[in-house]
Amino acid sequence: MSVTPSPRRVALLTLGCARNEVDSEELAARLDQGGWQVSTDAEGADVVVVNTCGFVEKAKQDSIETLLAAADTGAKVVAAGCMAERYGKELADSLPEAAAVVSFDDYTDIAARLDGVLAGETFDAHTPRDRRELLPITPVQRQSAKVVIPGHATVDEHTPAHLRPVLRRRLDNAPVASLKLASGCDRKCAFCAIPSFRGAFVSRDPQELLAEAEWLARSGVRELVLVSENSTSYGKDLGDPRLLEKLLPQLAAVDGIVRVRASYLQPAETRPGLVEAIAGTPGVAPYFDLSFQHSSEPLLRRMRRFGSTDRFLDLLDSARALAPAAGARSNFIVGFPGETKADVDELVRFLSEARLDAIGVFDYSDEDGTEAAGLDKKVKEDTIKRRYDRIVTLADELCNQRAEERLGSIVEVLVDSVSPEAEVEGRAEHQAPEVDGSTTLVAGDEGVDLAALRPGDFVRARVTATEGVDLIAVPVEMISAAPVSAR
C-alpha cells in the first residue's frame, strides 16, 4: 500500500514596501509550481521565507526580529528580499538561525532551493555586488539583458507579452493590488542605497502590464496601485519617456478595474503631460505621491536632488488647477549632513503652504555604501531628534487640518473591509493603502444600505467628520458593486 507524502508547506512573510509584496507573489507562484503548499501563516510551516526589507536601520531591525521569531516556530527559515540581497554572506554569518540566505539570482529556482533546505542541505550565501553593474549603462539596451529582476519574470519570451502566463499568485483576496511598473533606479540620491542592490532602472512591457492587470481584475481586484522605485522614469528604456501617460487610460479601461493609482513619482521628472493624465483621466485617482525629501534648494543639491519650495508649490498648484480636490503626499528627511536651521525653516514654510494629505518624516542616519555616509557637517543626534519632533508635530497638525478641509465634500470610496461588527472601512481617492489613512462609512439617510456593502464595492460618500487624517462618511450612491464572485 502506497503512502501519500505529506505536502511541503511554506509560509511567505513580507516586510517593507508594496514592491516587495509583488515579489513575494512571484515567489509564491514559483513555489506553487514546484509543488509547495503556500500560505502566509508560519504556524505549521516546514519552511518560512522572510522577504526582508533593507532600506533603513529600523526596517533592517524589523527584518532580523521577524527572522528570529520565525525560527522560534521550529520551521527552517530562509532570508530573501532586499536585506538578504544587500548583505548576503555577512547576514548568513551573523544569523545562524537562518537555514539559507538567498539572492535575487536564486528566485528562478526558489522551489529547488527550498527542497534542498528541507532536506538539510547547506548553501553558501552570495557575496553582494552592485547590481547596477549587471545591466548596460544605456537604458535602451537593458531590455535584452539576461538578468534576474524580481517582479519581471518572463515565462515564455517567444510568446507576445499580452499572451504570456502571469507568474504571480495572490497571497490575499483584497480588492486592491500593486502592479509593478519597473524595478531599479538610475538616480544618485546621496542618502539612498537602493540602486546598488535593486539595480539600474528597467521598465516592464506595457502589454505585459495590461495582461497582468486583466488577470488581477479577474481575481477580484478593483484598484491597481502602480509601484516602482521611480514611476516617472517608466518607458525611458523602451524609447518613450511619456509611456506612463499613455498607459494610465489603458489600465483604467480594464474591465472590473474602478481605480488606478500611480505612486513613487519624482518631482523633477513629473512633466505637465503626466500631471494632466493623473488629474484628468477618468478612472485614475487624482493622487500625487511625490518624493520631495526636503524643500531647501541648497540642501536638496547636497542630497543630489533637484527642486525648491517654490518649484514644488508650483507643481502642486498645477495639479490642483486641474483637480482641486487632488490628494498629495510625500516623505521628508530631517538631519541630513549640512542641514541648517535655515533649511529647516524653509521646510516648515513649504509644509505650511503645501496642504499635503499625508506626510512621512524620517530622521537621518548613515546608510552603508551611500555618499551621505561620508559627508562632513554631520548634524548632532540631539539636534536631529529635536528637529524630527518639531516636523512630526507640525505634519500631524497640518494633515489633520487638510482632512478637515474635506468636511462636506463628496469622495469616492473603495470598500476594503467589513468587520463582523459591520464596521465598513475603505479609502477615498487621496488615500493609498496603509500609508494615508482611511474612510469609515457610517449609516445615514441617503441611498445606500450600509449593511449590504462588501469589500470591492465602490461608492460615493459625503464626509461628515474626521478623526485625525481619517474620514467619517455616509455613502450616498453606489458607483459600482463588486462582482458577485468577489462578494
Side-chain angles (χ1 to χ4, degrees), residues 261-279:
R261 184 185 303 276
S263 61
Y264 302 103
L265 307 176
Q266 286 290 341
E269 298 178 27
T270 305
R271 298 169 295 276
L274 181 57
V275 173
E276 293 171 9
I278 293 174

Side-chain angles (χ1 to χ4, degrees), residues 294 296 299 336-346 379 387:
H294 212 283
S296 168
L299 192 69
F336 186 83
E339 183 186 62
T340 65
K341 182 180 182 300
D343 294 326
V344 178
D345 289 342
E346 185 68 0
V379 181
R387 292 175 180 176

Side-chain angles (χ1 to χ4, degrees), residues 293-294 296 299 302-303 332-348 351 359-364 376-396:
Q293 303 301 344
H294 212 283
S296 168
L299 192 69
R302 193 167 166 86
M303 289 178 166
F332 299 88
I333 299 171
V334 294
F336 186 83
E339 183 186 62
T340 65
K341 182 180 182 300
D343 294 326
V344 178
D345 289 342
E346 185 68 0
L347 177 57
V348 168
L351 293 175
I359 299 170
V361 185
F362 294 87
D363 49 341
Y364 173 81
D376 60 0
K377 300 181 181 178
K378 301 287 190 189
V379 181
K380 294 179 181 178
E381 286 189 16
D382 60 338
T383 302
I384 292 177
K385 183 180 187 308
R386 186 170 63 252
R387 292 175 180 176
Y388 172 83
D389 291 343
R390 177 189 179 190
I391 298 301
V392 167
T393 300
L394 176 65
D396 288 345

Side-chain angles (χ1 to χ4, degrees), residues 196-217:
S196 66
F197 55 86
R198 275 289 183 179
F201 186 87
V202 182
S203 301
R204 294 181 64 197
D205 185 292
Q207 294 304 313
E208 186 174 291
L209 290 170
L210 287 167
E212 187 167 325
E214 292 169 355
W215 177 83
L216 287 167

Side-chain angles (χ1 to χ4, degrees), residues 4-9 35-37 46 118:
T4 303
S6 300
R8 295 164 295 162
R9 294 165 298 179
W36 283 82
Q37 188 178 89
D46 299 303
L118 195 58

Side-chain angles (χ1 to χ4, degrees), residues 23-36:
D23 296 349
S24 285
E25 294 194 346
E26 177 195 326
L27 291 173
R30 291 187 181 281
L31 289 165
D32 186 59
Q33 290 179 356
W36 283 82

Side-chain angles (χ1 to χ4, degrees), residues 205-233:
D205 185 292
Q207 294 304 313
E208 186 174 291
L209 290 170
L210 287 167
E212 187 167 325
E214 292 169 355
W215 177 83
L216 287 167
R218 289 194 297 271
S219 75
V221 170
R222 306 277 277 160
E223 177 178 331
L224 300 172
V225 180
L226 310 184
V227 300
S228 69
E229 275 73 30
N230 176 8
S231 297
T232 39
S233 281

